C-alpha cells in the first residue's frame, strides 16, 4: 500500500535522524582516544593541521590504578547481579504465588520506596554503613569505605525494580505447570528451581543486564561512601582523573571512558539472544 | 482406591466455590464431574489433588482422612486441560520427572518410561522437545507422565477440551480403555455431557458449587432428580413448559392454553399427588414426532404447531416450533423435509414425560 510505504519511510527517516547525535558522539569518542587534540570530529596535530594520531592516550592500560578500579567495578557489578538475582527471583516468586499477611503492603511499599531518589538517603545510609563497619570481623568488608558496603547499598536500591520485574514474569506463568510439578512429587523449592526458574530465563537475563549496567556505571554511591583510589570504581576513577590533572586531558578521559564501555559490550553480546526471546518465549507448550 | 468426600466445601472470602459436596467413589470406577464452567467441579478436583485446602468437610482415601496430606504424598496422577508439560524438558524428561524425584534407579526409569510411552503410542518421540509436538501428542505425554508413577487415583481436568473433535473422539475411547484395563480409580472433570455419558461409571452433576445429582448415566437421563439435571443432560436439551395436571373421567390431562395432552396414568398420578398447583412438564425433543404415515395422529397426544426454525444436524433436523406461543425443540428425520413456516401436527410420546415443582425445581417423580 502506498500510504504504508510512505509511513515506513517516515519512520525510518525519524529513527535515523534520532540516532545521528548518538552516532556522532561515539565517533568523536573513538577519534579522540586516538589523537592528541580534536577539532570537531577531526584529529589535529601541534601545528593545527589534520593529523597527530597517537596511542599515548591508552598508556594508562599499563598502570595499576585503572586495573584496580576495574576490579572494584567488576566486584560491585557481579555482587549486584548475584544479590539482586537471588533476592528478586525468590522474592518475586513468593509475591506472585503465595498469599501471606502484609503481601500487599510489601508490594506497595517497595514501589513507594523506589520513588525516592538515592540522593535523599545518602546521609542515612552513611550511618547504616558506619554501624555495619563496627561489626567485628565482617565489618571491614561491608562497612563504610569498602567495596562490599557499596555493593550492599546498590543491591538494596536496585531490589524494588528487580522484585517487581521478576514478579511480573512469574505472574505470566500458568498455575497448571506448577500444580503438575507439585503432584509429580516436587516440593516448593524444587518447583521454583527446576520448573519455574527455567521458564523465566529471559527475565533473569534482562534483570542481570540491567543490574550489571547499574553496578558498572554506579557513581553516586561509590563516590559518597569511598575515600581514596584503593576502593574507587571506574566512574569514580574517571572523575578523579578529571579533577587531578589541570588542564584536563580530554583525550585521556575519552580513552578511559571507552575502556570502561568494553566489558558492557561483551556482557551485552552474551545476553542479547536471551533478551530478544523475552516476547518470543513466554508460555511455549502451555 | 475408594474415595469419599464428606460435606467438602471451599470458599474464598465468602465466595463459595464448592458447597458441602458429599459423594462416594468406588475402587476402580471412573466418575465424571459434569457441569457448566464455574460450577465448582475443578475446585473440587483440586481439593482432592491437595492443591486447594478445603474450608470444610473431609476427603478420605481408602478410609483415611487426607485433608492435611501434601499433593506429592497422595499417590495421584493428574492430567490438565493445558497439558501443563514442562516446556524446557524433552518428552523423556517430562515423563521421567516424577520418577527422578522419587530417586528411582536410572535403568528402572528408562524401562518404565519406555513402557508407558509405548502404551501411549509416543515411544519414538522421547527425544523431542515439547514445542515440536502436536496437541494430541502433548496430551499423550501428559497422560504418560501421570501414569508412569502408577498412581492410585487419576485426576482429569477437562483433558480433551483443547483437542479437535475427531481427536477427542479417539482419545476418549483410549482413556476409557486404559483406565478400565489398569483399574485405576479416576475422577474426570468435563463440561461435555457426551464425554461424561460415554466414559463414566457414575456422573456427579454440579452447578453453582452444589452437587445436583450423583448417579449412573442412564438414570441421569431417564430419571433426572432436578430440573437442572434434566435440562443439562441430553442434547438437544429437554423442552420445559408450565402446565396444570387435571383429573377428568379417570384420565390425567396436562393443560395450558392450546396444550391439552392425555398423560400416562402412573407418572401423572404420582406427580399430581405431590404437586402444589402448576408443574413444569419436560419432554425430550426426540420424543416428539411429525405426524405422517409412520407416526399417525394419536387421540389426546397430538397438537398443531408452526415451524419457526430448521437446523440441519446431518442425519436429523432440529426444528424450533411454537405451540400457542410456547417454544419447543423437535428432533425429526431429515427425510420429512420440514420447512420454516409450515403448519404441522406433532404427536407426543409421553411415556418418558418428566414433572418438576416450579418452586423447588425438584422432580415430582424421582426426588
Amino acid at each position: 500500500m502506498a500510504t504504508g510505504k510512505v509511513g515506513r519511510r517516515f519512520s525510518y527517516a525519524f529513527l535515523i535522524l534520532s540516532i545521528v547525535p548518538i552516532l556522532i558522539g561515539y565517533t568523536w569518542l573513538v577519534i579522540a582516544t586516538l589523537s592528541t587534540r580534536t577539532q570537531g570530529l577531526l584529529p589535529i596535530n601541534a601545528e593545527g593541521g589534520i593529523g597527530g594520531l597517537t596511542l599515548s592516550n591508552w598508556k594508562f592500560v599499563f598502570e595499576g590504578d585503572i586495573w584496580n578500579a576495574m576490579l572494584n567495578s567488576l566486584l560491585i557489578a557481579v555482587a549486584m547481579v548475584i544479590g539482586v538475582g537471588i533476592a528478586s527471583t525468590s522474592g518475586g516468586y513468593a509475591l506472585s504465588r503465595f498469599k501471606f499477611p502484609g503481601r500487599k503492603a510489601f508490594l506497595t511499599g517497595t514501589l513507594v520506596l523506589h520513588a525516592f531518589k538515592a540522593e535523599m538517603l545518602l546521609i542515612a545510609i552513611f550511618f547504616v554503613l558506619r554501624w555495619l563497619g563496627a561489626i567485628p570481623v565482617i565489618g571491614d568488608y561491608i562497612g563504610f569505605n569498602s567495596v562490599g558496603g557499596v555493593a550492599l547499598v546498590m543491591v538494596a536500591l536496585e531490589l524494588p525494580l528487580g522484585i517487581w520485574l521478576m514478579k511480573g514474569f512469574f505472574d505470566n506463568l500458568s498455575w497448571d505447570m506448577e500444580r503438575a510439578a507439585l503432584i509429580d512429587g516436587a516440593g516448593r523449592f524444587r518447583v521454583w528451581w527446576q520448573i519455574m526458574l527455567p521458564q523465566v530465563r529471559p527475565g533473569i537475563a534482562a534483570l542481570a543486564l540491567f543490574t550489571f549496567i547499574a553496578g558498572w556505571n554506579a557513581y553516586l554511591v561509590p563516590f559518597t561512601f569511598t575515600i581514596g583510589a584503593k576502593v574507587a570504581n571506574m566512574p569514580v576513577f574517571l572523575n578523579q582523573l578529571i579533577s587531578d590533572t589541570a588542564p584536563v586531558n580530554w583525550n585521556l578521559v575519552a580513552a578511559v571512558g571507552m575502556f570502561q564501555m568494553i566489558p558492557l559490550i561483551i556482557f551485552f553480546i552474551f545476553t542479547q539472544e536471551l533478551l530478544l526471546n523475552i516476547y518470543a518465549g513466554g508460555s511455549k507448550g502451555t | 482406591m475408594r474415595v469419599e468426600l464428606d460435606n467438602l466445601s471451599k470458599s474464598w472470602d465468602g465466595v463459595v466455590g464448592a458447597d458441602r459436596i458429599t459423594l462416594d467413589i468406588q475402587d476402580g470406577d471412573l466418575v465424571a464431574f459434569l457441569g457448566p464452567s464455574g460450577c465448582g467441579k475443578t475446585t473440587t478436583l483440586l481439593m482432592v489433588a491437595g492443591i486447594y485446602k478445603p474450608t470444610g468437610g473431609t476427603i478420605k482415601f481408602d478410609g483415611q482422612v487426607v485433608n492435611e496430606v501434601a499433593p506429592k504424598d497422595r499417590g495421584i496422577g493428574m492430567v490438565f486441560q493445558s497439558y501443563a508439560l514442562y516446556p524446557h524438558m524433552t518428552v523423556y524428561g517430562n515423563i521421567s520427572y516424577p520418577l527422578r524425584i522419587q530417586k528411582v534407579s536410572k535403568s528402572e526409569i528408562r524401562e518404565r518410561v519406555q513402557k508407558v510411552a509405548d502404551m501411549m503410542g509416543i515411544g519414538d518421540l522421547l527425544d523431542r522437545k515439547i514445542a515440536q509436538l502436536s496437541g494430541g501428542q502433548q496430551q499423550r505425554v501428559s497422560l504418560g507422565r501421570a501414569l508412569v508413577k502408577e498412581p492410585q487415583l487419576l485426576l482429569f481436568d477437562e483433558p480433551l477440551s483443547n483437542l479437535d473433535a475427531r481427536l477427542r473422539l479417539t482419545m476418549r475411547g483410549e482413556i476409557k480403555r486404559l483406565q478400565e484395563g489398569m483399574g485405576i480409580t479416576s475422577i474426570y472433570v468435563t463440561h461435555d455431557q457426551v464425554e461424561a455419558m460415554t466414559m463414566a461409571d457414575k456422573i456427579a452433576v454440579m452447578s453453582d458449587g452444589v452437587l445436583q445429582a450423583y448417579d449412573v448415566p442412564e438414570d441421569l437421563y431417564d430419571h433426572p432428580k432436578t430440573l437442572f439435571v434434566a435440562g443439562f443432560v441430553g442434547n438437544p436439551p429437554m423442552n420445559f413448559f408450565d402446565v396444570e395436571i387435571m383429573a377428568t373421567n379417570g384420565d390425567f390431562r396436562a393443560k395450558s392454553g392450546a396444550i391439552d395432552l392425555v398423560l400416562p396414568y402412573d407418572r401423572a398420578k404420582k406427580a399430581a399427588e405431590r404437586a402444589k398447583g402448576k408443574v413444569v412438564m419436560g419432554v425430550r425433543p426426540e420424543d416428539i414426532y411429525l405426524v405422517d404415515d409412520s407416526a399417525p395422529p394419536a387421540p389426546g397426544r397430538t397438537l398443531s404447531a408452526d415451524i419457526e426454525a430448521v437446523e440441519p444436524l446431518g442425519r436429523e433436523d432440529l426444528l424450533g416450533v411454537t405451540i400457542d406461543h410456547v417454544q419447543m425443540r423437535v428432533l425429526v428425520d431429515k427425510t420429512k423435509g420440514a420447512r420454516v413456516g409450515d403448519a404441522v401436527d406433532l404427536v407426543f410420546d409421553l411415556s418418558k414425560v418428566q414433572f418438576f415443582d416450579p418452586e423447588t425445581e425438584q422432580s415430582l417423580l424421582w426426588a
Side-chain angles (χ1 to χ4, degrees):
Chain A
M1 262 194 326
T3 49
K5 228 175 188 173
V6 173
R8 241 170 101 146
R9 274 188 198 151
F10 263 115
S11 47
Y12 271 120
F14 178 76
L15 287 174
I16 289 167
L17 271 178
S18 34
I19 60 168
V20 162
I22 305 170
L23 279 180
I24 291 175
Y26 282 109
T27 314
W28 178 85
L29 190 68
V30 173
I31 294 168
T33 62
L34 298 171
S35 44
T36 44
R37 223 150 56 84
T38 53
Q39 185 158 35
L41 286 176
L42 299 173
I44 302 290
N45 60 17
E47 286 79 45
I50 294 174
L53 291 176
T54 172
L55 280 175
S56 64
N57 293 327
W58 287 91
K59 267 194 288 194
F60 65 82
V61 174
F62 301 106
E63 288 161 20
D65 281 357
I66 185 122
W67 291 105
N68 185 45
M70 190 111 172
L71 179 68
N72 287 340
S73 267
L74 194 69
L75 282 176
I76 293 172
V78 169
M80 277 182 69
V81 168
I82 294 171
V84 172
I86 291 174
S88 301
T89 47
S90 50
Y93 175 68
L95 287 166
S96 167
R97 291 309 206 229
F98 297 119
K99 243 183 165 179
F100 51 85
R103 175 179 174 275
K104 230 179 170 173
F106 186 84
L107 279 173
T108 42
T110 45
L111 207 60
V112 170
L113 284 180
H114 195 51
F116 288 96
K117 301 276 290 174
E119 286 89 332
M120 299 170 66
L121 302 168
L122 287 180
I123 294 171
I125 291 172
F126 171 70
F127 284 115
V128 173
L129 286 180
R130 285 286 299 271
W131 289 326
L132 284 176
I135 300 173
V137 190
I138 57 165
D140 287 349
Y141 301 101
I142 57 166
F144 177 72
N145 200 24
S146 71
V147 172
V150 169
L152 200 64
V153 173
M154 292 294 296
V155 166
L157 292 174
E158 197 72 13
L159 268 184
L161 173 81
I163 289 174
W164 271 89
L165 187 79
M166 290 319 296
K167 176 186 176 291
F169 273 92
F170 284 119
D171 282 348
N172 280 332
L173 294 182
S174 94
W175 283 80
D176 279 355
M177 203 191 297
E178 201 168 0
R179 288 169 179 159
L182 285 174
I183 288 169
D184 279 350
R188 273 288 174 184
F189 181 79
R190 195 195 284 268
V191 170
W192 174 73
W193 179 250
Q194 290 186 341
I195 305 297
M196 303 308 269
L197 276 193
Q199 316 302 321
V200 296
R201 264 184 307 207
I204 297 173
L207 182 63
L209 185 66
F210 293 152
T211 339
F212 190 87
I213 292 172
W216 188 257
N217 290 335
Y219 173 69
L220 182 73
V221 172
F223 179 69
T224 315
F225 300 120
T226 59
I227 306 164
K230 242 192 108 188
V231 282
N233 68 346
M234 283 297 286
V236 174
F237 178 83
L238 201 60
N239 183 53
Q240 283 167 357
L241 204 64
I242 295 171
S243 42
D244 285 356
T245 54
V248 179
N249 182 352
W250 288 113
N251 298 77
L252 173 62
V253 172
V256 175
M258 181 92 182
F259 188 64
Q260 191 196 335
M261 272 170 46
I262 293 168
L264 280 188
I265 294 168
I266 295 172
F267 195 73
F268 179 75
I269 289 169
F270 277 110
T271 50
Q272 67 168 347
E273 198 163 328
L274 271 173
L275 288 173
L276 291 174
N277 266 330
I278 289 182
Y279 294 105
S283 55
K284 259 184 225 153
T286 58
Chain B
M1 186 167 69
R2 186 176 169 198
V3 178
E4 293 160 271
L5 310 183
D6 184 16
N7 277 307
L8 193 63
S9 303
K10 174 76 186 174
S11 58
W12 294 269
D13 308 322
V15 181
V16 176
D19 190 14
R20 283 164 290 164
I21 307 286
T22 300
L23 54 82
D24 189 344
I25 300 169
Q26 295 303 317
D27 183 37
D29 269 6
L30 189 151
V31 167
F33 287 0
L34 177 66
S37 46
C39 72
K41 52 196 193 305
T42 298
T43 303
T44 309
L45 190 77
L46 288 175
M47 281 194 281
V48 175
I51 302 289
Y52 285 170
K53 264 202 158 61
T55 43
T58 54
I59 305 163
K60 281 188 200 162
F61 287 0
D62 276 339
Q64 297 282 317
V65 176
V66 293
N67 283 34
E68 298 299 322
V69 178
K72 64 188 171 87
D73 300 321
R74 292 196 183 193
I76 50 177
M78 186 155 170
V79 181
F80 296 83
Q81 178 180 0
S82 64
Y83 319 134
L85 297 172
Y86 314 130
H88 56 295
M89 298 181 191
T90 59
V91 171
Y92 184 86
N94 269 276
I95 299 180
S96 65
Y97 190 67
L99 300 180
R100 281 186 282 146
I101 292 177
Q102 289 174 15
K103 301 235 169 5
V104 176
S105 76
K106 273 231 167 82
S107 55
E108 193 189 334
I109 291 181
R110 194 168 303 276
E111 203 176 297
R112 279 167 72 176
V113 170
Q114 190 66 51
K115 199 177 123 209
V116 166
D118 288 341
M119 196 163 67
M120 300 309 305
I122 47 171
D124 49 345
L125 302 176
L126 287 177
D127 296 326
R128 295 271 192 94
K129 281 274 189 191
I130 297 303
Q132 298 170 321
L133 302 181
S134 69
Q137 289 168 331
Q138 291 193 22
Q139 196 53 293
R140 280 165 205 268
V141 176
S142 172
L143 197 54
R145 185 179 63 184
L147 286 172
V148 78
K149 52 186 167 179
E150 292 158 9
Q152 299 283 302
L153 175 65
L154 262 179
L155 307 176
F156 297 89
D157 186 9
E158 310 222 8
L160 306 182
S161 300
N162 283 4
L163 303 179
D164 64 65
R166 266 182 71 116
L167 203 54
R168 215 176 299 164
L169 207 71
T170 31
M171 286 298 283
R172 206 164 77 193
E174 255 176 72
I175 290 178
K176 180 63 188 165
R177 214 167 28 249
L178 266 171
Q179 185 268 337
E180 250 172 1
M182 300 172 86
I184 306 175
T185 314
S186 302
I187 302 178
Y188 190 102
V189 162
T190 180
H191 63 262
D192 181 340
Q193 50 166 308
V194 182
E195 260 174 41
M197 298 290 273
T198 51
M199 295 173 77
D201 295 301
K202 278 181 109 175
I203 298 177
V205 183
M206 297 178 70
S207 84
D208 293 332
V210 178
L211 182 65
Q212 292 277 343
Y214 181 49
D215 237 325
V216 295
E218 303 79 53
D219 272 352
L220 282 182
Y221 193 80
D222 295 331
H223 308 283
K225 289 198 175 69
T226 65
L227 193 65
F228 177 83
V229 173
F232 192 76
V233 176
N235 189 25
M238 191 183 273
N239 295 301
F240 296 114
F241 39 98
D242 294 334
V243 297
E244 253 172 298
I245 302 180
M246 300 198 182
T248 44
N249 317 332
D251 262 352
F252 285 101
R253 303 180 86 94
K255 283 195 174 181
S256 167
I259 295 172
D260 184 0
L261 294 164
V262 176
L263 298 169
Y265 187 82
D266 288 345
R267 290 199 180 200
K269 182 165 183 284
K270 198 170 170 189
E273 277 166 6
R274 300 170 68 178
K276 304 183 253 337
K278 284 203 166 188
V279 299
V280 177
M281 178 167 157
V283 181
R284 293 200 184 274
E286 57 267 37
D287 293 334
I288 307 176
Y289 304 90
L290 283 178
V291 169
D292 64 3
D293 301 341
S294 58
R301 288 198 287 114
T302 309
L303 297 174
S304 316
D306 296 313
I307 299 180
E308 294 214 315
V310 177
E311 272 182 58
L313 298 181
R315 192 156 45 89
E316 288 146 328
D317 281 339
L318 179 63
L319 309 182
V321 304
T322 54
I323 304 169
D324 186 23
H325 305 301
V326 177
Q327 301 200 332
M328 286 191 207
R329 285 170 293 262
V330 181
L331 208 52
V332 299
D333 211 300
K334 191 151 200 91
T335 55
K336 308 276 183 188
R339 269 183 316 219
V340 176
D342 285 358
V344 290
D345 283 335
L346 299 175
V347 55
F348 285 68
D349 173 3
L350 296 176
S351 59
K352 292 178 210 150
V353 68
Q354 306 290 335
F355 296 105
F356 302 92
D357 186 312
E359 293 296 316
T360 63
E361 303 196 344
Q362 298 290 309
S363 173
L364 296 168
L365 300 176
W366 324 110

